[in-house]
């Protein structure tokens, strides 16, 4: 029997003012000396407003857990979950993958929900370190597993396209909780499955 589903929504759509965002984008581009008279750029402010609204809006989802009837006590891991977010310092995208795993306790989680949790926290201005911890803490709180591990590998365009322009550089962050932090063998298993050398 499934546990009653918890519904999670991070959706600023009700507070999004696309008209104001488009006007702000128009003023922003004009202030940077970009002429919007060109037919190719005329609709750009509207596109910018809609693009950022999409980047900042996650889809609602139900967190449905199931009784761990078989007493499964080995690692559950979803590797290479696609991730996209926006750096809160420059509002430039960062993209990469998240590896999310847990050691089940009394309940297990549908695998697709691991990807939903990643999306839930990435659809807002973020820093990678906070994002990694938010995903792990959220799973720990709502699933109450024996351990949780999250590793994120991402390329930040605020570092690769501007500033130092270190193209190809990837930032790696991790958060390990419970047995995956405290037990050396469990930690090593998790990290080796993600492809990160411990």
């Amino acid at each position: 029997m499934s546990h009653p589903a918890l519904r999670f929504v991070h959706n600023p759509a009700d507070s999004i003012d696309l008209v104001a965002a488009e006007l702000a984008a128009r003023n922003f581009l004009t202030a940077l000396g970009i002429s919007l008279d060109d037919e190719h750029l005329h609709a750009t402010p509207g596109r910018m407003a809609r693009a950022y609204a999409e980047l900042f809006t996650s889809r609602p989802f139900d967190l449905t857990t199931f009784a761990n009837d078989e007493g499964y006590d080995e690692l559950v891991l979803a590797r290479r979950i696609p991730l996209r977010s926006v750096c809160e310092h420059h509002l430039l995208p960062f993209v990469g993958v998240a590896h999310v795993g847990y050691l089940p306790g009394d309940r297990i989680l549908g695998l697709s929900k691991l990807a939903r949790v990643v999306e839930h926290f990435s659809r807002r201005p973020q820093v990678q370190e906070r994002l990694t911890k938010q995903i792990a803490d959220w799973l720990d709180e709502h699933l109450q597993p024996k351990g949780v591990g999250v590793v994120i590998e991402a390329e930040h365009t605020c570092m690769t396209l501007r500033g130092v322009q270190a193209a190809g550089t990837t930032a790696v962050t991790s958060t390990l909780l419970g047995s995956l932090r405290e037990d050396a063998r469990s930690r090593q298993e998790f990290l080796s499955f993600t492809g990160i050398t411990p």
Side-chain angles (χ1 to χ4, degrees):
M1 172 184 283
S2 67
H3 190 270
L6 299 172
R7 186 141 182 95
F8 294 95
V9 180
H10 169 68
N11 191 343
D14 294 338
S15 62
I16 289 176
D17 185 341
L18 284 176
V19 173
E22 181 174 347
L23 177 60
R26 182 173 302 281
N27 291 336
F28 172 71
L29 292 170
T30 302
L32 290 176
I34 298 172
S35 172
L36 300 177
D37 295 332
D38 185 295
E39 67 173 302
H40 300 289
L41 292 172
H42 183 70
T44 295
R47 292 189 196 103
M48 282 179 62
R50 290 188 299 276
Y52 275 97
E54 181 181 341
L55 286 172
F56 295 154
T57 305
S58 64
R59 295 170 289 181
F61 71 98
D62 297 322
L63 179 74
T64 306
T65 64
F66 303 91
N68 186 7
D69 293 330
E70 302 300 321
Y72 186 81
D73 61 359
E74 299 292 335
L75 183 65
V76 177
L77 175 68
R79 295 192 308 175
R80 303 192 61 76
I81 298 169
L83 175 145
R84 70 174 192 231
S85 192
V86 176
C87 162
E88 69 180 31
H89 301 134
H90 302 95
L91 287 189
L92 290 172
F94 64 93
V95 296
V97 295
H99 312 286
V100 182
Y102 70 98
L103 287 169
D106 293 333
R107 305 198 69 79
I108 57 175
L109 182 66
L111 290 176
S112 68
K113 299 303 187 280
L114 295 175
R116 292 286 199 180
V117 173
V118 170
E119 179 188 282
H120 177 75
F121 287 105
S122 63
R123 291 291 186 97
R124 61 191 77 177
Q126 272 288 13
V127 295
Q128 185 174 325
E129 297 88 342
R130 182 193 309 123
L131 174 60
T132 307
K133 190 165 186 334
Q134 285 177 335
I135 295 167
D137 286 346
W138 193 92
L139 287 169
D140 190 50
E141 177 185 350
H142 290 91
L143 193 56
Q144 299 182 346
K146 294 176 182 174
V148 174
V150 177
V151 172
I152 292 178
E153 305 173 70
E155 181 173 323
H156 293 249
T157 56
C158 60
M159 187 169 81
T160 60
L161 298 181
R162 56 157 298 281
V164 70
Q165 297 183 18
T169 301
T170 301
V172 179
T173 51
S174 66
T175 297
L176 304 175
L177 303 174
S179 296
L180 292 182
R181 182 182 185 94
E182 297 158 4
D183 181 72
R185 287 193 312 170
S186 295
R187 182 172 61 249
Q188 183 172 358
E189 179 184 35
F190 172 77
L191 292 174
S192 67
F193 281 0
T194 66
I196 304 295
T197 304

